[in-house]
Amino acid sequence: MIQAVCNLNDVKNSASNDAACANLPAAPAHHCRFCRHPLTQSVVDLGMSPLCETFLTADQLNAAESFYPLHAFVCDKCLLVQVEAYVSGEEIFGQEYAYFSSYSDSWLKHATAYTDMIVPRLGLTRDSLVVELASNDGYLLRNFVERHIPCLGIEPAPNVAAVAEERGIPTRVEYFGVEVARQFAKEGIRPDLLLGNNVLAHVPDINDFVGGMKIILSERGTITMEFPHLVNIIEQNHFDGFYQEHYSYLSFHVVRKIFAHHGLALYDVEELPSHGGSIRIYARHTEDSTKPISPAVERMLQYEDERGFTDLKTYTSYSQRVEKTKHDLLDLLIRLKREGKQIAGYGAPGKGNTLLNYCGIREDFLDYVVDRNPYKHGRFLPGSHIPIFDIDRIEQTRPDYIFILPWNLRAEITSQLDYTREWGAKFIVAIPELEVF
């Protein structure tokens, strides 16, 4: 039963609060989206930025473009790092979305490895059900289809969901939360595995989202969620991961607290190399005694504590490192352009747009960018208005330097561009620290 009133100071683990507080209205402006506490502690202020996945057509270049404050705060009560939701998730993800997971070879390998691991671990069969939240273009669920394990994708972006359907992946176009979960439960959709990769940070109402997972999960089901680990975001200076579409930045401590509040226990955790260092959590119903708590849970809690992530000072001293990266990068680009060098960008990811807009980098520094996703070709980056081309543009123009914006795919991209050795091109990455190689 949904509780009409609940106290977020008192984290409950009972089975009765299957979505405790998930029916409360969203947190008021400038209050923590989990515990509703006022936000006063700044982590980093990246100025004003447009929506990072809204790529412009040529006829939009002279039209007004919306910019939003990109200022991350940490709640001094629960330690959730977050940006304020100036744009609803439905507006960002529920229309036409530009990100397609299948254009990264390394991410496809990651999805296959996950399937190879989770199927035997949970004993999934043709009688099981797998549901993925934010299933994108079916990049992961296709592995379950190939194994004849029933699955369903839940994806808010219609254009992306259509691609999944074309690939034979059953997909529902929904923005997931408590109400959708209730409807699915009535339909008998109760997954044995409920998963989501890089979605937990993308929901403005995190209580509604996690509360919905509690409702839909089968009695002895497992939830797995992957997200960039806040420890790596801070310690490795991944500030380009801050953007409007990423509402929250998550530590294991905080996620455990949020899940516990909604009657879900984290029973295992793994560290992953993806996105510059992520973690994968495993959750179950609090009352499910069939899955004991792994020693890895306590190790992760101790690790974050030792690294200072239960101390407010760790968060509030971050901005100086971000500013240094900006200054160093601009110094390099100014010097190279004065020397007459041509610089191209590789990749048009959301994180790259955060970096470019924060640093004020436009066509005066980057002549163009390339991307493997045909949807982006012929369009322009938000804010900076740098044109986007197919990757063959690099071979045609032979730039002196190639600035890799999705630095987390550095190895994959440099391998793809090995042919640029012919003319002695060099690569630039700005994160975790500025490097030319």
Side-chain angles (χ1 to χ4, degrees):
M1 178 180 295
I2 303 295
Q3 297 180 354
V5 179
C6 71
N7 182 2
L8 283 172
N9 294 324
D10 181 16
V11 175
K12 300 181 182 295
N13 293 331
S14 68
S16 63
N17 70 330
D18 63 349
C21 295
N23 62 326
L24 289 176
H30 223 58
H31 285 66
C32 177
R33 62 175 38 91
F34 170 54
C35 74
R36 312 315 202 243
H37 188 68
L39 295 174
T40 60
Q41 300 293 329
S42 175
V43 176
V44 64
D45 186 353
L46 300 177
M48 302 291 289
S49 188
L51 298 181
C52 68
E53 292 287 353
T54 304
F55 296 91
L56 306 177
T57 58
D59 58 2
Q60 293 175 311
L61 292 179
N62 293 323
E65 190 173 4
S66 297
F67 282 67
Y68 305 91
L70 190 52
H71 192 169
F73 289 82
V74 59
C75 176
D76 56 16
K77 184 176 182 182
C78 72
L79 295 182
L80 175 62
V81 176
Q82 57 204 281
V83 297
E84 195 165 332
Y86 291 97
V87 184
S88 71
E90 288 90 343
E91 184 176 346
I92 294 173
F93 304 108
Q95 300 180 37
E96 187 173 18
Y97 195 55
Y99 179 74
F100 292 78
S101 298
S102 292
Y103 288 105
S104 169
D105 294 338
S106 59
W107 190 241
L108 292 177
K109 292 177 182 178
H110 177 79
T112 300
Y114 169 81
T115 310
D116 292 342
M117 176 277 298
I118 201 69
V119 169
R121 174 167 178 167
L122 299 184
L124 300 174
T125 68
R126 298 186 183 205
D127 296 324
S128 305
L129 176 62
V130 176
V131 172
E132 182 180 10
L133 304 177
S135 51
N136 203 260
D137 57 9
Y139 75 100
L140 189 151
L141 288 181
R142 69 181 188 179
N143 296 295
F144 291 96
V145 170
E146 291 171 358
R147 294 170 181 258
H148 305 288
I149 296 174
C151 63
L152 174 68
I154 302 176
E155 169 56 46
N159 66 311
V160 180
V163 174
E165 285 281 359
E166 291 171 2
R167 295 173 175 172
I169 314 298
T171 306
R172 297 272 289 267
V173 178
E174 300 280 2
Y175 196 83
F176 185 78
V178 165
E179 291 304 319
V180 171
R182 286 175 179 155
Q183 180 58 45
F184 281 14
K186 288 180 182 178
E187 297 175 24
I189 299 173
R190 300 294 299 273
D192 302 288
L193 170 61
L194 178 61
L195 69 105
N197 291 341
N198 303 305
V199 61
L200 192 59
H202 286 75
V203 290
D205 191 343
I206 201 164
N207 285 313
D208 183 57
F209 187 79
V210 178
M213 289 195 284
K214 172 67 177 179
I215 292 171
I216 198 176
L217 185 66
S218 66
E219 183 178 357
R220 293 191 175 180
T222 285
I223 297 169
T224 70
M225 290 270 137
E226 296 179 19
F227 48 85
H229 194 188
L230 183 62
V231 171
N232 296 314
I233 293 174
I234 299 293
E235 291 191 343
Q236 297 183 31
N237 200 28
H238 300 168
F239 69 88
D240 58 343
F242 288 94
Y243 43 86
Q244 182 63 212
E245 290 90 330
H246 280 177
Y247 298 99
S248 303
Y249 306 84
L250 304 165
S251 69
F252 186 71
H253 270 89
V254 170
V255 172
R256 183 169 178 254
K257 188 183 301 182
I258 294 171
F259 274 61
H261 174 73
H262 292 283
L264 295 165
L266 304 191
Y267 71 88
D268 202 359
V269 59
E270 297 171 351
E271 294 185 84
L272 306 169
S274 56
H275 295 284
S278 298
I279 58 175
R280 177 188 294 142
I281 60 168
Y282 294 75
R284 57 163 169 80
H285 290 293
T286 304
E287 60 274 18
D288 178 7
S289 60
T290 65
K291 301 175 184 66
I293 304 295
S294 164
V297 169
E298 184 57 38
R299 287 197 298 268
M300 181 60 73
L301 292 171
Q302 183 177 354
Y303 171 73
E304 289 189 346
D305 187 51
E306 291 172 349
R307 307 300 294 184
F309 283 81
T310 55
D311 186 344
L312 196 61
K313 293 179 181 178
T314 298
Y315 304 94
T316 56
S317 61
Y318 178 52
S319 61
Q320 293 179 356
R321 297 182 59 203
V322 174
E323 292 172 3
K324 183 180 185 303
T325 299
K326 175 179 179 176
H327 299 158
D328 291 346
L329 176 58
L330 288 175
D331 283 346
L332 172 67
L333 296 180
I334 290 170
R335 176 175 62 81
L336 293 179
K337 296 307 286 187
R338 282 177 173 165
E339 294 173 359
K341 304 299 185 183
Q342 183 185 19
I343 309 172
Y346 189 103
K351 63 179 60 180
N353 290 320
T354 290
L355 176 69
L356 296 177
N357 282 291
Y358 170 61
C359 295
I361 296 171
R362 298 173 64 89
E363 280 187 272
D364 50 350
F365 289 115
L366 286 189
D367 300 295
Y368 61 86
V369 300
V370 299
D371 196 275
R372 295 180 69 187
N373 184 350
Y375 172 87
K376 300 177 183 179
H377 299 163
R379 297 181 183 242
F380 299 81
L381 298 182
S384 66
H385 294 186
I386 298 171
I388 309 169
F389 295 92
D390 194 352
I391 56 175
D392 59 8
R393 181 82 172 184
I394 288 181
E395 190 167 14
Q396 294 168 3
T397 62
R398 299 195 165 206
D400 302 295
Y401 290 83
I402 301 169
F403 187 3
I404 299 176
L405 295 171
W407 49 265
N408 54 301
L409 301 177
R410 167 178 169 162
E412 176 182 335
I413 292 169
T414 53
S415 176
Q416 292 169 3
L417 297 179
D418 188 62
Y419 65 87
T420 63
R421 293 175 182 270
E422 296 175 14
W423 64 87
K426 294 182 179 180
F427 296 101
I428 301 170
V429 292
I431 293 174
E433 60 185 2
L434 185 62
E435 183 180 355
V436 179
F437 61 99

